[in-house]
Amino acid sequence: MASAEGKNQSAPKQEEKPKIEPLRLPTMEEIRGQDIWNNCAVRSVVSGVMGSGLGLFMGLFLGALDNPIMQEEMTGRQQFIYTAKQMGRRSINSAKAFAVMGLVFSAAECIVEKARAKHDTTNIVVAGCVTGGTISARGGPKAACAGCAGFAAFSVLIEKFFDRHD
Protein backbone atom coordinates (compact mmCIF):
# COMPACT_ATOMS: atom_id res chain seq x y z
CA MET A 1 0.00 0.00 0.00
CA ALA A 2 2.88 2.35 0.78
CA SER A 3 4.35 1.64 -2.65
CA ALA A 4 1.08 2.61 -4.38
CA GLU A 5 1.04 5.94 -2.54
CA GLY A 6 4.66 6.55 -3.47
CA LYS A 7 3.90 5.98 -7.14
CA ASN A 8 0.99 8.44 -7.07
CA GLN A 9 3.08 11.13 -5.38
CA SER A 10 6.06 10.76 -7.71
CA ALA A 11 3.99 10.82 -10.90
CA PRO A 12 3.64 14.44 -12.09
CA LYS A 13 0.08 15.56 -12.64
CA GLN A 14 -0.56 17.29 -15.91
CA GLU A 15 -2.83 20.25 -15.40
CA GLU A 16 -4.98 21.42 -18.24
CA LYS A 17 -4.04 24.92 -19.29
CA PRO A 18 -6.94 27.27 -19.93
CA LYS A 19 -7.39 28.19 -23.54
CA ILE A 20 -6.44 31.78 -24.28
CA GLU A 21 -8.86 33.40 -26.64
CA PRO A 22 -7.92 36.45 -28.67
CA LEU A 23 -9.43 39.80 -27.78
CA ARG A 24 -12.41 40.80 -29.86
CA LEU A 25 -13.17 44.40 -30.68
CA PRO A 26 -16.81 45.45 -30.33
CA THR A 27 -18.86 45.76 -33.47
CA MET A 28 -20.41 49.04 -34.56
CA GLU A 29 -23.85 47.80 -33.42
CA GLU A 30 -22.48 47.03 -29.96
CA ILE A 31 -20.87 50.48 -29.74
CA ARG A 32 -24.13 52.16 -30.80
CA GLY A 33 -26.04 50.11 -28.23
CA GLN A 34 -23.61 51.17 -25.50
CA ASP A 35 -23.91 54.81 -26.57
CA ILE A 36 -27.70 54.60 -26.43
CA TRP A 37 -27.65 52.93 -23.00
CA ASN A 38 -25.19 55.55 -21.66
CA ASN A 39 -27.76 58.27 -22.36
CA CYS A 40 -29.31 59.34 -19.04
CA ALA A 41 -32.74 59.92 -20.60
CA VAL A 42 -32.85 56.38 -22.00
CA ARG A 43 -31.72 54.87 -18.70
CA SER A 44 -34.29 56.88 -16.77
CA VAL A 45 -37.20 55.98 -19.03
CA VAL A 46 -36.28 52.29 -19.00
CA SER A 47 -36.00 52.37 -15.20
CA GLY A 48 -39.37 54.10 -14.97
CA VAL A 49 -41.00 51.49 -17.20
CA MET A 50 -39.42 48.63 -15.27
CA GLY A 51 -40.43 50.27 -11.99
CA SER A 52 -44.02 50.57 -13.14
CA GLY A 53 -44.01 46.90 -14.07
CA LEU A 54 -42.73 45.96 -10.63
CA GLY A 55 -45.29 48.26 -9.02
CA LEU A 56 -48.05 46.68 -11.08
CA PHE A 57 -47.21 43.21 -9.77
CA MET A 58 -46.74 44.47 -6.21
CA GLY A 59 -50.14 46.17 -6.38
CA LEU A 60 -51.80 43.02 -7.69
CA PHE A 61 -50.29 40.97 -4.89
CA LEU A 62 -51.04 43.43 -2.10
CA GLY A 63 -54.51 44.20 -3.46
CA ALA A 64 -55.37 40.52 -3.35
CA LEU A 65 -54.55 40.45 0.35
CA ASP A 66 -57.04 43.21 1.26
CA ASN A 67 -60.09 41.98 3.10
CA PRO A 68 -63.37 43.90 2.94
CA ILE A 69 -64.48 45.52 6.17
CA MET A 70 -67.95 43.99 6.04
CA GLN A 71 -66.83 40.59 4.79
CA GLU A 72 -69.47 38.64 6.73
CA GLU A 73 -72.31 40.56 5.07
CA MET A 74 -70.99 40.21 1.50
CA THR A 75 -71.70 37.38 -0.90
CA GLY A 76 -68.88 35.55 -2.64
CA ARG A 77 -69.48 37.52 -5.83
CA GLN A 78 -69.38 40.85 -3.98
CA GLN A 79 -66.16 39.86 -2.27
CA PHE A 80 -64.64 38.89 -5.63
CA ILE A 81 -65.64 42.23 -7.20
CA TYR A 82 -64.32 44.14 -4.20
CA THR A 83 -60.99 42.29 -4.35
CA ALA A 84 -60.68 42.83 -8.11
CA LYS A 85 -61.29 46.57 -7.71
CA GLN A 86 -58.78 46.78 -4.87
CA MET A 87 -56.20 44.95 -6.95
CA GLY A 88 -56.77 47.38 -9.82
CA ARG A 89 -56.50 50.46 -7.61
CA ARG A 90 -53.43 49.20 -5.81
CA SER A 91 -51.78 48.18 -9.08
CA ILE A 92 -52.22 51.58 -10.68
CA ASN A 93 -51.07 53.46 -7.57
CA SER A 94 -48.06 51.19 -7.03
CA ALA A 95 -47.12 51.33 -10.72
CA LYS A 96 -47.12 55.15 -10.61
CA ALA A 97 -45.09 55.28 -7.40
CA PHE A 98 -42.50 52.76 -8.54
CA ALA A 99 -42.23 54.40 -11.97
CA VAL A 100 -41.48 57.79 -10.41
CA MET A 101 -39.05 56.19 -7.97
CA GLY A 102 -37.17 54.33 -10.72
CA LEU A 103 -37.12 57.31 -13.07
CA VAL A 104 -35.91 59.84 -10.49
CA PHE A 105 -33.32 57.52 -8.93
CA SER A 106 -31.89 56.44 -12.25
CA ALA A 107 -31.76 59.99 -13.63
CA ALA A 108 -30.10 61.36 -10.49
CA GLU A 109 -27.55 58.55 -10.34
CA CYS A 110 -26.70 58.89 -14.03
CA ILE A 111 -26.33 62.68 -13.90
CA VAL A 112 -24.16 62.58 -10.76
CA GLU A 113 -22.07 59.75 -12.21
CA LYS A 114 -21.43 61.68 -15.42
CA ALA A 115 -20.67 64.92 -13.53
CA ARG A 116 -18.19 63.23 -11.17
CA ALA A 117 -16.83 60.79 -13.78
CA LYS A 118 -16.82 58.10 -11.08
CA HIS A 119 -18.92 55.05 -10.38
CA ASP A 120 -19.04 54.70 -6.60
CA THR A 121 -21.25 54.74 -3.53
CA THR A 122 -21.41 58.55 -3.37
CA ASN A 123 -23.55 58.53 -6.51
CA ILE A 124 -25.94 56.13 -4.81
CA VAL A 125 -26.18 58.33 -1.70
CA VAL A 126 -26.95 61.45 -3.74
CA ALA A 127 -29.45 59.64 -5.97
CA GLY A 128 -31.17 58.13 -2.93
CA CYS A 129 -31.36 61.52 -1.25
CA VAL A 130 -32.81 63.18 -4.35
CA THR A 131 -35.34 60.38 -4.80
CA GLY A 132 -36.44 60.30 -1.16
CA GLY A 133 -36.69 64.06 -1.02
CA THR A 134 -38.69 64.23 -4.25
CA ILE A 135 -41.15 61.53 -3.22
CA SER A 136 -41.81 62.99 0.23
CA ALA A 137 -41.67 66.71 -0.74
CA ARG A 138 -45.47 67.08 -0.51
CA GLY A 139 -45.21 66.60 3.25
CA GLY A 140 -43.07 69.70 3.69
CA PRO A 141 -39.39 70.36 4.36
CA LYS A 142 -39.12 68.05 7.37
CA ALA A 143 -40.65 65.18 5.46
CA ALA A 144 -38.38 65.87 2.48
CA CYS A 145 -35.29 65.80 4.72
CA ALA A 146 -36.43 62.60 6.40
CA GLY A 147 -37.21 61.04 3.01
CA CYS A 148 -33.81 62.10 1.72
CA ALA A 149 -31.96 60.56 4.67
CA GLY A 150 -34.08 57.41 4.73
CA PHE A 151 -33.92 56.66 1.03
CA ALA A 152 -30.18 57.43 0.90
CA ALA A 153 -29.54 55.01 3.78
CA PHE A 154 -31.76 52.38 2.17
CA SER A 155 -29.97 52.81 -1.16
CA VAL A 156 -26.56 52.36 0.47
CA LEU A 157 -27.76 49.23 2.31
CA ILE A 158 -29.06 47.73 -0.92
CA GLU A 159 -25.85 48.66 -2.69
CA LYS A 160 -23.72 47.05 0.03
CA PHE A 161 -25.94 43.97 -0.06
CA PHE A 162 -25.34 43.56 -3.78
CA ASP A 163 -21.69 44.69 -3.31
CA ARG A 164 -21.40 46.48 -6.64
CA HIS A 165 -18.88 49.11 -5.53
CA ASP A 166 -15.66 49.10 -3.52
Side-chain angles (χ1 to χ4, degrees):
M1 190 153 200
S3 63
E5 287 178 13
K7 287 180 185 176
N8 288 342
Q9 289 178 355
S10 63
K13 292 183 179 178
Q14 292 183 357
E15 295 182 24
E16 292 183 26
K17 295 181 181 178
K19 235 181 177 182
I20 299 175
E21 296 183 17
L23 293 175
R24 184 182 67 80
L25 294 175
T27 64
M28 284 305 293
E29 290 82 20
E30 290 171 337
I31 292 171
R32 284 188 197 115
Q34 288 174 352
D35 287 344
I36 290 170
W37 185 246
N38 285 334
N39 184 338
C40 288
V42 171
R43 276 192 195 182
S44 301
V45 168
V46 169
S47 294
V49 169
M50 291 174 65
S52 68
L54 177 65
L56 187 74
F57 286 115
M58 291 287 291
L60 285 173
F61 177 71
L62 295 174
L65 297 178
D66 279 349
N67 285 330
I69 295 171
M70 305 181 73
Q71 186 174 3
E72 294 83 24
E73 299 170 9
M74 296 174 80
T75 65
R77 182 169 189 234
Q78 290 172 331
Q79 288 180 12
F80 178 78
I81 292 171
Y82 174 84
T83 303
K85 286 181 180 179
Q86 281 300 105
M87 288 171 65
R89 284 187 208 112
R90 279 267 180 113
S91 295
I92 291 170
N93 290 337
S94 294
K96 288 178 187 176
F98 276 79
V100 168
M101 219 181 304
L103 187 124
V104 171
F105 185 87
S106 182
E109 182 187 20
C110 185
I111 290 168
V112 170
E113 185 176 311
K114 290 201 184 279
R116 296 181 66 234
K118 284 184 178 180
H119 186 69
D120 61 2
T121 307
T122 304
N123 303 345
I124 303 299
V125 172
V126 173
C129 182
V130 169
T131 305
T134 302
I135 290 172
S136 56
R138 287 185 181 175
K142 286 183 182 178
C145 288
C148 168
F151 210 93
F154 176 72
S155 299
V156 169
L157 285 175
I158 293 296
E159 198 66 22
K160 294 297 179 186
F161 177 75
F162 286 117
D163 198 27
R164 287 184 8 186
H165 300 295
D166 297 329

